[in-house]
């Protein structure tokens, strides 16, 4: 019997497709493409997933993503995620991808966009799930590289709903990315940004005021700035939170310490997501369950969180009403 959490219709809004690469698939892709891996076994890969902070994770995540080479690899990766997400009751997924992780290795947009398009089309047909793609810029590579990436992506703008900002946070403030995000907005793309994961509340202010971010990815560190919490609540800016990620990357010591419920109680539109589920030990329903147990939240609160996810999506009002049963 599926539990309440599985049955709730929900959207996943913070999911890095490269972060869904399970070790088993890493090995099968390496064998198929005749390339080596820096690990001997699936168990050795999992054993390496002991993170001390965001950077310690990113170092391993970028190495894992190097197992992806062909359109078929990207299609298989996204299809496996969408099957898994549909099983968790996800009816709409807005997925991040990191083009620079691939273009830096000589793999062009045509390769991954073809694979993504095939997986998304199949998911619509066979799983009845709608999808969107958000292209993220790697902040550690700086704005000139982000501008080149936006230009390279231009032929594929029709396949994107938005752009985002991810990778190492501290030392790479959103203010450095105003030009590229401004250009993306002019092209009609939505703007979101990772901010306040490890970085200070100032980065969240900058994402809102300088980049025009419509959602903040993570945003947990906003809590230390009451004026910012008021702003997020007043303007109904969604936070796409990823509780299991935050524990694995030591943003919070334990799930019981997570501030999701406090921010929700303060009127912030909070959503639950999985970030990089292959690395953090759980897909989206696992995140909902961990939060419900760890923070002692009611079924009604879980239902509200699922509603928030649909309301915070970039679907049009008609689709939102349909999914919400309004
Ligand atoms: N890329 C993949 N996961 C990320 C995260 N949690 N923060 C920043 N960049 C990421
Ligand atoms: Zn993320």
């Amino acid at each position: 019997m599926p539990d309440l959490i599985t049955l709730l219709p929900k959207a996943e809004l913070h999911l890095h497709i490269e972060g869904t690469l399970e070790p088993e698939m890493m090995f099968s892709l390496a064998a198929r493409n005749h390339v080596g891996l820096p690990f001997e076994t699936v168990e050795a890969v999992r054993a390496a997933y002991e993170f001390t902070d965001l950077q310690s994770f990113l170092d391993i995540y970028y190495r894992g993503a190097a197992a992806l080479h062909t359109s078929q690899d990207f299609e298989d990766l996204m299809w496996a995620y969408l099957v898994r997400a549909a099983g968790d009751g996800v009816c709409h997924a807005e997925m991040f991808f990191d083009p620079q992780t691939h273009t830096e290795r000589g793999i062009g947009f045509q390769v991954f966009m073809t694979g993504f398009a095939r997986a998304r089309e199949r998911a619509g047909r066979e799983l009845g799930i709608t999808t969107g793609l958000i292209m993220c810029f790697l902040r550690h590579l700086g704005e000139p590289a982000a501008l080149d990436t936006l230009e390279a992506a231009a032929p594929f703008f029709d396949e994107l709903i938005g752009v985002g900002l991810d990778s190492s946070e501290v030392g790479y403030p959103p203010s450095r990315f105003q030009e590229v995000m401004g250009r993306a907005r002019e092209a009609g793309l939505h703007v979101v940004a990772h901010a306040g994961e490890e970085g200070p509340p100032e980065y969240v202010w900058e994402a809102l005021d300088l980049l025009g971010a419509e959602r903040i990815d993570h945003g947990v560190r906003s809590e230390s700035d009451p004026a910012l919490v008021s702003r997020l609540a007043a303007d109904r800016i969604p936070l796409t939170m990823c509780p299991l990620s935050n524990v694995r990357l030591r943003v919070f010591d334990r799930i019981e310490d997570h501030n999701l419920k406090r921010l929700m109680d303060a009127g912030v539109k909070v959503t639950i997501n999985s970030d990089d589920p292959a690395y953090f030990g759980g897909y989206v329903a696992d995140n909902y369950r961990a939060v419900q147990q760890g923070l002692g939240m009611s079924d009604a609160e879980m239902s509200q969180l699922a509603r928030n996810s649909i309301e915070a999506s970039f679907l049009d009002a008609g689709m939102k009403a349909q999914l919400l049963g309004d």
Side-chain angles (χ1 to χ4, degrees):
M1 268 287 285
D3 62 355
L4 169 87
I5 282 170
T6 307
L7 291 172
L8 289 170
K10 59 186 86 62
E12 178 142 58
L13 308 176
H14 185 156
L15 178 283
H16 301 264
I17 198 63
E18 294 87 352
T20 68
L21 180 57
E22 293 286 351
E24 289 79 4
M25 186 179 283
M26 207 184 281
F27 275 86
S28 66
L29 297 184
R32 183 160 88 187
N33 294 321
H34 310 290
V35 293
L37 283 179
F39 299 102
E40 289 291 320
T41 60
V42 162
E43 292 69 34
V45 179
R46 288 225 159 81
Y49 293 175
E50 278 296 326
F51 310 118
T52 50
D53 58 11
L54 174 59
Q55 193 59 50
S56 68
F57 154 68
L58 291 170
D59 293 342
I60 287 196
Y61 162 84
Y62 294 129
R63 270 166 56 192
L68 296 158
H69 287 85
T70 65
S71 297
Q72 188 69 52
D73 297 347
F74 288 95
E75 178 182 350
D76 291 352
L77 177 73
M78 188 168 279
W79 173 250
Y81 161 68
L82 288 168
V83 167
R84 185 76 196 250
D88 271 1
V90 171
C91 47
H92 177 67
E94 297 182 356
M95 300 170 283
F96 295 135
F97 68 107
D98 286 337
Q100 289 156 292
T101 301
H102 314 302
T103 53
E104 280 209 319
R105 301 182 288 123
I107 293 165
F109 269 80
Q110 188 69 46
V111 174
F112 44 86
M113 294 306 285
T114 298
F116 294 156
R118 287 195 205 126
R120 294 174 60 206
E121 192 269 331
R122 184 175 174 198
R125 218 169 356 102
E126 295 184 26
L127 305 171
I129 176 169
T130 54
T131 56
L133 284 180
I134 299 177
M135 175 174 81
C136 285
F137 302 115
L138 300 182
R139 54 217 299 170
H140 71 275
L141 296 180
E143 188 171 57
L147 284 163
D148 291 345
T149 303
L150 188 70
E151 200 178 307
F156 303 94
F157 278 177
D158 285 355
E159 295 173 49
L160 304 180
I161 52 171
V163 293
L165 204 53
D166 67 359
S167 191
S168 319
E169 185 182 13
V170 174
Y172 303 95
S175 52
R176 291 198 193 160
F177 296 88
Q178 293 180 65
E179 186 175 340
V180 71
M181 290 309 206
R183 285 200 201 170
R185 274 203 317 275
E186 281 164 20
L189 295 167
H190 289 289
V191 171
V192 300
H194 281 57
E197 179 183 13
E198 287 185 343
E202 289 71 32
Y203 285 18
V204 179
W205 284 110
E206 287 185 12
L208 296 174
D209 293 336
L210 303 181
L211 305 186
E214 297 159 75
R215 295 195 300 241
I216 297 294
D217 300 311
H218 294 295
V220 291
R221 296 210 48 213
S222 306
E223 195 185 23
S224 61
D225 181 345
L228 178 56
V229 173
S230 301
R231 164 79 183 277
L232 294 168
D235 287 358
R236 309 301 290 144
I237 307 283
L239 298 186
T240 64
M241 290 186 156
C242 308
L244 290 174
S245 161
N246 294 149
V247 174
R248 292 297 293 269
L249 300 188
R250 315 266 182 99
V251 174
F252 295 99
D253 289 339
R254 308 173 312 152
I255 197 78
E256 289 79 3
D257 301 327
H258 202 284
N259 63 9
L260 179 145
K261 182 171 161 48
R262 290 198 299 274
L263 285 167
M264 190 175 172
D265 290 345
V268 178
K269 197 178 196 74
V270 169
T271 66
I272 294 183
N273 307 273
S274 67
D275 208 7
D276 302 284
Y279 291 87
F280 300 147
Y283 283 75
V284 70
D286 301 313
N287 275 270
Y288 275 75
R289 284 187 204 103
V291 162
Q292 179 161 31
Q293 278 187 4
L295 303 181
M297 293 175 78
S298 67
D299 286 350
E301 285 170 315
M302 290 295 109
S303 172
Q304 184 60 51
L305 283 160
R307 286 185 68 88
N308 286 355
S309 71
I310 290 166
E311 287 168 1
S313 75
F314 294 131
L315 287 168
D316 63 32
M319 274 295 293
K320 286 185 191 180
Q322 199 178 315
L323 294 177
L324 290 166
D326 290 349

